[in-house]
Amino acid sequence: MSSPLVVVTNDDGVSSPGIQVMASTLAKEFDVIVAAPADDRSGAGTGVGGIDFERGVALQPVKIDGVMAAYSVDGPPGLAVTAAALGAFGRMPDLVASGINAGINTGHSIIHSGTVGAALTARTFKMKGLAVSLGQSDPWHWETAAIYAGRVARWLIDWAKGPYVMNVNVPALPADEVKGVHWADLDEFGYFRVATADIPRERLLFEVGPRHADSDPGCDTILCSDGYVTLTPLNTVEPAPFPDIPADILAGVPTVVSGDRASGTSPR
């Protein structure tokens, strides 16, 4: 029997050191195919980009030690995962592993992360997803993140019930200095500051970062900054419970629906 298949992607680009380390590490235990953006697509979220349905999307083979095959995709990670789910690289993957991202992905701002977006996209196709991010340091501790990427990947593949998407943040430490592993809630959104440049109305400047001063001690940002590897199970997009009112009150006209949903009562 073949080994479990892991498709490895990221949003930093196929030539980034993080994906090279993670792919090589996972290839020691699994069949690994790399399909990642040709360039930096940070902030892509779950987007698939603008697809040219006539000409398609450029796909170029690249070399990464130890993996079955590796491809540079002219699109964001969500597109690479979608292609994998639809059979572009052979059988359906058992896991999509995204990262290792250069910098942590914590808090509700992960909705904009291409690293996390790739893992969430996997779940929409009924695959398991893993996103791994590493705290910034000089030098980078890629090997530390790779150790935990391998352990969590195996656990996700073997775990039958779920969670099916795991967001992992690894502190900027050598492996022997990591304090432990913690389940962690998502921090608040953090800050996302926008300002105009010196010439008004011609350029917007953005600054993104995690909230910290008044964050909950049990959130991912705080625990990771304190030296713990954080594990945060994630859900993909799901409908919220319906308000307990008829829908036509909101719309102003009668709605044509069936069952309990007509009254606005959620069956969940």
Side-chain angles (χ1 to χ4, degrees), residues 78-155:
L79 179 63
V81 174
T82 299
L86 297 178
F89 310 113
R91 59 188 167 102
M92 178 73 86
D94 298 280
L95 175 71
V96 169
S98 181
I100 301 165
N101 190 70
I104 61 173
N105 276 299
T106 62
H108 284 82
S109 58
I110 61 171
I111 191 174
H112 301 294
S113 164
T115 303
V116 179
L120 292 173
T121 301
R123 185 58 190 148
T124 65
F125 288 100
K126 303 187 184 304
M127 300 182 292
K128 295 180 179 181
L130 168 64
V132 182
S133 303
L134 173 65
Q136 184 174 357
S137 62
D138 187 12
W140 289 89
H141 295 289
W142 300 114
E143 294 76 12
T144 303
I147 290 171
Y148 290 96
R151 292 173 181 173
V152 179
R154 167 50 66 188
W155 183 81

Side-chain angles (χ1 to χ4, degrees), residues 23-30 32 66:
S24 297
T25 298
L26 294 179
K28 297 174 183 177
E29 187 174 0
F30 310 108
V32 168

Side-chain angles (χ1 to χ4, degrees), residues 11 42-46 101 103-118 120 133 167 169 185-193 207-212 215 219-221 232 234:
D11 69 356
S42 297
T46 57
N101 190 70
I104 61 173
N105 276 299
T106 62
H108 284 82
S109 58
I110 61 171
I111 191 174
H112 301 294
S113 164
T115 303
V116 179
L120 292 173
S133 303
N167 187 37
N169 284 283
D185 291 326
L186 286 177
D187 194 2
E188 296 296 330
F189 186 86
Y191 66 82
F192 201 133
R193 187 175 66 86
E207 183 180 7
V208 182
R211 176 173 162 168
H212 198 289
S215 296
C219 75
D220 48 5
T221 305
T232 305
L234 300 175

